[in-house]
Amino acid sequence: MTKEKVLRLLSPGEFVSGREIGEVLGLSRAAVWKAVQSLKTAGYEIESVTNRGYRLVGKADVLHLPEWTVLPEVDSTNNYLKQLAEAGAPHGTVVVSDCQTAGRGRLGRSFASPKGVGVYLSVLLRPEVAPGELLHLTAVAAVAGAEALEAVCGAKPGIKWTNDLIFGQKKVAGILTEMSLEAESGRVHYAIVGIGINCNQGEFPAEIEQVATSIFLETGAKVDRSEIARQIGRGILAAYDTMWQEKASWMAKYAENCVTIGREISVVRGSEARRGRALGIDEDGGLIVLYEDGTRATVNSGEVSIRGMYGYV
Ligand code: BTN
């Protein structure tokens, strides 16, 4: 896209003239001017001085990911990507949005997705396997997400089984994996891994302030959301490529980072809640639990709350 090419030639220090940009990109000066206007509209701060040209003033907090689809607003990136998937979009398609009006979490919950402060990203995968082969996908994505966050912000979140990334006692990111199955074969048609990251929020609405945090609140530094999105999207895609060959090593990393292990937990299914202790992770990312009555079981679904965290006291 022209405006992306123009952006690459602008620097925060030096002025670049419209003529120079035009020559490099083979554009008229009017076309350069138009591209600069549309960058400004997208949120970039660009200084224009007659006879000197253009200069990038500040690094705008806009999502700049030329390799992927970036939306200013959407109901849910998972929903949007589902439509692309149904229309034949290839494996590796990534959608990112600046905000979601109906962001979704596990178990029918909503995921608060305010504008300009978070990253809401979905990745399309087309594995040719039976659904049972994908049980560990969310766990692999959680490890990849935690590693990507550490690479960008220097602090590594823990993982609360199964799909939350946390700092201390609070959630910084959540993952929602959804699948479509082929009716005839029962095999996976496609899978979508969606991740929402609280990046630069300075505060949260009262309803979630006890349980939610952001990278900014944890580290004291605002993060470049494009960099977070890039690292997480690429990290999930790269992790997918090795999730079967290196399954044991992925699950070992998951267990190492999983804060649920060793804790007193409550496993909630519908109206039933059973207390026990989380002992470990099985080879598919399931949570091995020793219940109070002495029975052991592996939990693959449902809600697990940890004593002392998110309100389970
Ligand atoms: C959870 O907290 O249970 C999971 C939250 C997942 C949120 C992400 S944001 C991008 C993608 N689109 C959605 O609607 N949900 C996921």
Side-chain angles (χ1 to χ4, degrees):
M1 253 163 89
T2 308
K3 74 174 188 201
E4 317 291 0
K5 291 183 186 156
V6 170
L7 181 63
R8 267 180 235 135
L9 295 178
L10 296 176
S11 79
E14 312 244 313
F15 279 95
V16 192
S17 72
R19 183 182 50 77
E20 279 174 281
I21 297 174
E23 274 172 15
V24 174
L25 299 179
L27 297 172
S28 67
R29 282 170 72 171
V32 172
W33 181 86
K34 213 171 140 201
V36 168
Q37 297 317 304
S38 91
L39 285 168
K40 285 183 176 173
T41 311
Y44 288 93
E45 233 182 297
I46 297 168
E47 191 179 358
S48 354
V49 175
T50 316
N51 296 328
R52 295 188 74 188
Y54 304 105
R55 180 169 72 167
L56 204 54
V57 175
K59 203 169 183 186
D61 187 20
V62 289
L63 288 169
H64 178 62
L65 298 152
E67 66 272 42
W68 296 329
T69 300
V70 179
L71 306 166
E73 182 179 296
V74 71
D75 57 347
S76 146
T77 52
N78 272 26
N79 293 353
Y80 187 90
L81 193 51
K82 240 179 247 174
Q83 288 168 14
L84 296 189
E86 297 293 343
H91 173 89
T93 303
V94 179
V95 172
V96 189
S97 185
D98 200 31
C99 90
Q100 297 184 120
T101 53
R104 294 185 290 108
R106 273 179 85 230
L107 306 167
R109 300 198 177 117
S110 62
F111 184 80
S113 313
K115 195 169 184 58
V117 285
V119 164
Y120 317 108
L121 174 148
S122 297
V123 179
L124 174 62
L125 305 169
R126 291 197 178 273
E128 290 183 6
V129 298
E133 299 291 306
L134 285 181
L135 289 175
H136 62 306
L137 176 58
T138 300
V140 169
V143 174
E147 288 178 349
L149 285 193
E150 185 184 23
V152 182
C153 71
K156 190 171 190 176
I159 302 170
K160 177 185 168 287
W161 192 89
T162 172
N163 65 328
D164 287 352
L165 300 187
I166 60 162
F167 281 123
Q169 307 283 312
K170 295 181 170 185
K171 172 163 164 170
V172 69
I175 297 171
L176 176 66
T177 304
E178 296 181 292
M179 259 182 237
S180 159
L181 303 182
E182 243 167 34
E184 306 78 32
S185 64
R187 288 171 80 83
V188 176
H189 188 202
Y190 60 82
I192 291 175
V193 177
I195 179 162
I197 306 111
N198 301 328
C199 295
N200 292 330
Q201 284 91 335
E203 57 182 9
F204 285 90
E207 320 83 81
I208 56 171
E209 71 177 352
Q210 297 305 318
V211 294
T213 190
S214 69
I215 297 173
F216 171 62
L217 287 173
E218 294 302 315
T219 64
K222 295 258 165 126
V223 285
D224 178 345
R225 291 182 302 137
S226 303
E227 195 49 27
I228 295 276
R230 193 174 295 115
Q231 295 292 337
I232 291 209
R234 287 183 184 168
I236 291 173
L237 284 167
Y240 170 82
D241 286 340
T242 63
M243 68 176 264
W244 289 284
Q245 303 93 300
E246 294 172 20
K247 185 175 176 187
S249 129
W250 281 111
M251 291 307 97
K253 284 199 244 180
Y254 186 88
E256 224 171 85
N257 288 300
C258 181
V259 302
T260 312
I261 298 173
R263 305 281 294 269
E264 279 180 52
I265 58 166
S266 169
V267 180
V268 184
R269 280 215 188 82
S271 56
E272 191 205 5
R274 285 182 81 189
R275 292 201 176 178
R277 177 173 289 273
L279 299 181
I281 297 295
D282 80 353
E283 68 278 11
D284 290 319
L287 189 68
I288 305 165
V289 180
L290 176 63
Y291 288 109
E292 279 177 335
D293 64 5
T295 55
R296 251 178 199 247
T298 300
V299 177
N300 289 304
S301 60
E303 166 77 354
V304 167
S305 38
I306 300 177
R307 183 153 197 196
M309 190 185 267
Y310 295 9
Y312 165 36
V313 284

